[in-house]
Amino acid sequence: MTVTTPDGAVDLFKTLDELDVPKGYRAEILREAEITVSPPPIGKHQRNVKDLDRQIVPHLPEGYDTEVHLEIRMHHIVKSTMPDLFVAPEPALDTEDYFVSPDDVILAAEVVSRSNSGNDRVEKLGIYAAAAIPLYLLIDPIRASTTLYFSPEDGHYTENVTAPFGKSVEIPEPFGFELDTSRFRTY
């Protein structure tokens, strides 16, 4: 199904909203004029997400929470992602929509999938930087490493730090804790 606007342009957000996506699949706008549908993640992938959630929750800023089901919709760059986990203010998460604004997101996290590693390593890296999301955490079970990207400027993250699984990664304020990467599983 394709939905067009009065000027003939495809309205990707409307099309995305009207898609009948099978249970567990994710539909995202990662590339220009294209909706990407990804299969449900494997168990090890989800265990890594759960381990991240367990570690981050005790360090959440007051009034913030983690989310794993809503999308981040970036109208200004015509992109939409469904991160494996992100952090936003509780009032923003208490929405009647299926999405939140990137302006509310202070951290987005992805666990690299075997079937679409480029989406997490390249596409989403660029999208989150362009949306000025302050922190992007990439857990890579294929490379057994964790990378934190930060300081977005002019559509790019200007700084990053990578650690192999087993070494900790400093998650800066407003979280302020050492992420234990030894808990993450490899594929």
Side-chain angles (χ1 to χ4, degrees):
M1 162 187 19
T2 303
V3 179
T4 56
T5 60
D7 65 358
V10 174
D11 185 343
L12 283 178
F13 293 119
K14 186 162 177 48
T15 302
L16 183 68
D17 290 340
E18 293 178 358
L19 276 179
D20 185 18
V21 180
K23 184 176 178 156
Y25 281 67
R26 291 182 175 198
E28 303 171 296
I29 304 170
L30 305 179
R31 293 170 196 84
E32 189 175 330
E34 179 181 307
I35 294 176
T36 301
V37 179
S38 303
I42 64 172
K44 284 186 175 188
H45 180 282
Q46 287 307 99
R47 296 314 313 156
N48 285 335
V49 173
K50 188 69 171 174
D51 283 342
L52 173 61
D53 190 53
R54 283 189 188 114
Q55 289 189 64
I56 207 167
V57 163
H59 305 284
L60 289 171
E62 183 70 32
Y64 282 74
D65 204 356
T66 59
E67 176 57 50
V68 296
H69 295 290
L70 293 174
E71 72 182 78
I72 302 170
R73 192 164 283 188
M74 294 147 276
H75 291 95
H76 66 295
I77 57 173
V78 192
K79 303 288 188 226
S80 173
T81 65
M82 292 186 71
D84 290 318
L85 181 144
F86 69 90
V87 176
E90 291 175 2
L93 299 174
D94 190 18
T95 179
E96 295 200 19
D97 285 322
Y98 302 103
F99 58 87
V100 300
S101 165
D103 298 338
D104 293 318
V105 178
I106 60 172
L107 178 144
E110 299 286 357
V111 175
V112 173
S113 298
R114 278 191 293 222
S115 62
N116 56 13
S117 60
N119 288 348
D120 299 322
R121 291 183 189 140
V122 179
E123 299 296 334
K124 291 183 181 182
L125 172 62
I127 291 168
Y128 295 143
I133 293 174
L135 302 171
Y136 175 40
L137 185 66
L138 182 68
I139 299 167
D140 193 332
I142 300 168
R143 296 179 177 164
S145 66
T146 303
T147 303
L148 178 67
Y149 297 92
F150 51 102
S151 300
E153 192 175 297
D154 298 325
H156 302 282
Y157 286 105
T158 60
E159 299 182 64
N160 69 75
V161 60
T162 300
F165 284 1
K167 301 283 186 184
S168 64
V169 173
E170 174 70 26
I171 307 299
E173 294 299 336
F175 301 95
F177 77 101
E178 295 281 329
L179 178 68
D180 178 5
T181 68
S182 68
R183 300 173 62 160
F184 298 139
R185 296 150 178 86
T186 59
Y187 301 149

